[in-house]
Amino acid sequence: MKTLIVKTSSKKYPIYIGQNILSKFSFFKKKHLKNTKNILIVSSKKIPKKYTLSLKKNTKGIKYYTIILPDGEVIKQDQFLIKITNLLSKCNFGRNDCVIAVGGGVIGDLAGFASSIFKRGINFVQVPTTLLSQVDSSVGGKTGINNNFGKNLVGTFFQPNFVLIDIDTLNTLPRREMIAGFAEVLKYSLILDKKFFNWLNKNGKKIINKKSKNLITDAIYTSCKHKAYVVKKDEKEKNLRAILNFGHTFAHAIETVTGYSKKIIHGEAVLIGMALASRLSNQMGYLKRHELESILSLYQKLKLNFQYKKFVNSKNIKKVFQIMSNDKKSDGKKIKIILLKKIGLSIIKETTLKKTFIPLIQKDLKNGIY
């Protein structure tokens, strides 16, 4: 088992990464949840029951409650938030009691938000079961739900008590979800670590195809280490933490305009967004042409999609731009976008869509590319 410590201004907590560690939950409970008597497990229909059963194993003196929600982004809305908080009230949860999110990023965001606002904050544990949630959404304390105007526009910063990453949960994960998770792994290399990029170029195929648990563990550990570094420096996204949104402005717009459907999932949208942001970085004179070609070459080598023809067209382009302008990194007029100066070095630029994404995307649509 590998352990990482996340230090923020509000909380210090560990990330545990290993195999078959869900069955050892009683050890982690004794260490971090000493006064907890009630635990609510929030999960979805897609998550195998054996993971929630593993948590309950060998844990005495605890009352467990479980809520199983539908699968997908659709649950990140107020009606499911109320459903969770009502159950916490009905079961008389106190501030020493705990909510455990077992699932992907959607479950973690929703359960974390409920934990942060119920009685102004109760204990919360992340048990991410997808590669994407293991390397990104479970770490750093971002919680939230969507509204009609965009993704994650309603939420809080609320750090968990600890994060339990059992890589055995990836055994049942479809290849599509592995690719989606790899998108966030790749992101860390592009914005912070060229050596990691070169390592992923060499080992990416084995990670995506689950050929080596050691390589997967190393990829998760390195990704979490980079995120922990950024969160320590800037817990509430005043400046540096914004780099973690590389590719996400366009990605969130695609997800919103397609109605958070199964047509495209978050990591797939992020892959498209990062490719577009890399091209924009080159067009604006930051990223050298040969480095852009290195990035696109990795996409092609690993068969990662960077085309957005299926999702953005002349009919919905105005709505896409409107969603991007409503992004939570926007102040109404200007927007913060993340660009690459080179692979492994990112910058935050405050500008407008009219000077950046709009002409690039309009040119793509006109020429029928991407």
Side-chain angles (χ1 to χ4, degrees):
M1 186 175 71
K2 291 190 173 186
T3 305
L4 262 172
I5 302 297
V6 182
K7 295 178 183 177
T8 73
S9 56
S10 66
K11 190 179 285 186
K12 176 181 173 182
Y13 60 94
I15 304 170
Y16 299 107
I17 307 167
Q19 297 181 45
N20 193 33
I21 56 176
L22 288 189
S23 62
K24 300 173 178 65
F25 178 72
S26 58
F27 166 77
F28 301 108
K29 188 269 170 191
K30 288 175 184 176
K31 191 170 184 179
H32 300 289
L33 301 168
K34 293 179 181 177
N35 298 315
T36 295
K37 301 298 180 188
N38 298 295
I39 289 177
L40 172 64
I41 295 174
V42 181
S43 192
S44 76
K45 292 178 180 178
K46 194 175 181 181
I47 306 302
K49 287 183 180 179
K50 63 181 179 180
Y51 300 151
T52 57
L53 292 174
S54 290
L55 291 174
K56 299 175 184 179
K57 191 178 178 182
N58 301 322
T59 310
K60 297 177 181 178
I62 298 290
K63 281 188 178 180
Y64 280 96
Y65 305 87
T66 304
I67 183 167
I68 304 297
L69 300 174
D71 182 53
E73 194 79 21
V74 67
I75 66 169
K76 282 177 66 173
Q77 52 182 302
D78 51 8
Q79 72 182 81
F80 292 101
L81 179 69
I82 292 168
K83 186 173 184 177
I84 293 171
T85 54
N86 278 347
L87 183 57
L88 292 171
S89 294
K90 183 180 178 181
C91 299
N92 198 28
F93 271 57
R95 284 183 174 174
N96 287 325
D97 294 324
C98 182
V99 172
I100 302 179
V102 181
V106 171
I107 289 290
D109 285 357
L110 175 65
F113 189 30
S115 303
S116 73
I117 61 174
F118 183 74
K119 296 189 175 178
R120 297 188 175 88
I122 66 173
N123 292 322
F124 176 54
V125 172
Q126 287 270 22
V127 179
T129 60
T130 64
L131 181 60
L132 193 149
S133 58
Q134 289 174 353
V135 300
D136 189 65
S137 59
S138 67
V139 180
K142 276 190 178 180
T143 78
I145 58 173
N146 309 324
N147 67 13
N148 294 334
F149 297 90
K151 186 169 177 176
N152 298 329
L153 293 181
V154 183
T156 59
F157 289 96
F158 188 70
Q159 304 296 340
N161 291 62
F162 62 94
V163 181
L164 203 59
I165 299 175
D166 191 330
I167 65 167
D168 286 346
T169 61
L170 301 179
N171 293 343
T172 56
L173 204 67
R175 189 174 188 276
R176 184 185 186 189
E177 294 284 355
M178 287 298 294
I179 290 173
F182 186 81
E184 296 288 356
V185 176
L186 178 61
K187 176 189 75 177
Y188 294 112
S189 75
L190 292 173
I191 62 175
L192 286 167
D193 188 347
K194 187 171 184 178
K195 286 184 179 178
F196 191 34
F197 175 83
N198 293 335
W199 185 85
L200 291 174
N201 206 355
K202 180 182 177 182
N203 298 300
K205 187 176 285 188
K206 289 180 180 178
I207 292 169
I208 290 170
N209 293 327
K210 296 187 280 189
K211 295 296 184 182
S212 168
K213 287 193 174 182
N214 287 336
L215 290 176
I216 291 172
T217 301
D218 289 343
I220 293 170
Y221 180 86
T222 303
S223 299
C224 289
K225 182 180 71 173
H226 284 313
K227 184 155 192 184
Y229 165 79
V230 173
V231 171
K232 178 184 178 181
K233 296 279 186 182
D234 179 23
E235 181 180 7
K236 297 192 175 178
E237 204 170 305
K238 301 297 183 184
N239 43 69
L240 178 66
R241 187 167 178 168
I243 67 171
L244 298 177
N245 293 305
F246 177 65
H248 283 55
T249 300
F250 189 57
H252 287 167
I254 292 175
E255 289 179 271
T256 304
V257 83
T258 53
Y260 307 114
S261 67
K262 294 294 176 71
K263 291 178 184 176
I264 187 166
I265 56 178
H266 178 66
E268 293 169 336
V270 168
L271 283 170
I272 292 171
M274 291 194 301
L276 188 66
S278 298
R279 291 175 56 223
L280 182 61
S281 299
N282 170 252
Q283 182 176 286
M284 294 182 71
Y286 294 109
L287 186 68
K288 293 286 196 307
R289 182 71 200 179
H290 75 273
E291 292 221 302
L292 173 60
E293 288 172 356
S294 293
I295 294 168
L296 296 180
S297 174
L298 179 144
Y299 270 69
Q300 290 164 345
K301 177 181 176 180
L302 300 181
K303 298 179 181 178
L304 308 175
N305 178 51
F306 51 79
Q307 295 187 318
Y308 55 85
K309 279 182 181 179
K310 291 181 181 178
F311 316 106
V312 179
N313 52 55
S314 57
K315 292 181 180 179
N316 66 12
I317 188 62
K318 284 187 179 179
K319 188 174 181 182
V320 169
F321 291 147
Q322 183 182 0
I323 293 165
M324 291 174 76
S325 67
N326 281 337
D327 189 274
K328 55 187 178 296
K329 298 177 289 300
S330 169
D331 66 2
K333 295 180 180 178
K334 290 189 174 181
I335 188 168
K336 287 181 181 177
I337 62 170
I338 315 306
L339 301 171
L340 298 179
K341 289 190 80 171
K342 57 184 180 179
I343 295 173
L345 181 61
S346 51
I347 58 169
I348 303 167
K349 186 168 178 63
E350 192 172 63
T351 182
T352 63
L353 291 178
K354 288 184 179 179
K355 292 181 180 179
T356 54
F357 283 107
I358 289 178
L360 179 59
I361 296 170
Q362 286 178 334
K363 184 179 178 182
D364 285 349
L365 293 177
K366 183 180 178 181
N367 294 335
I369 62 170
Y370 290 94

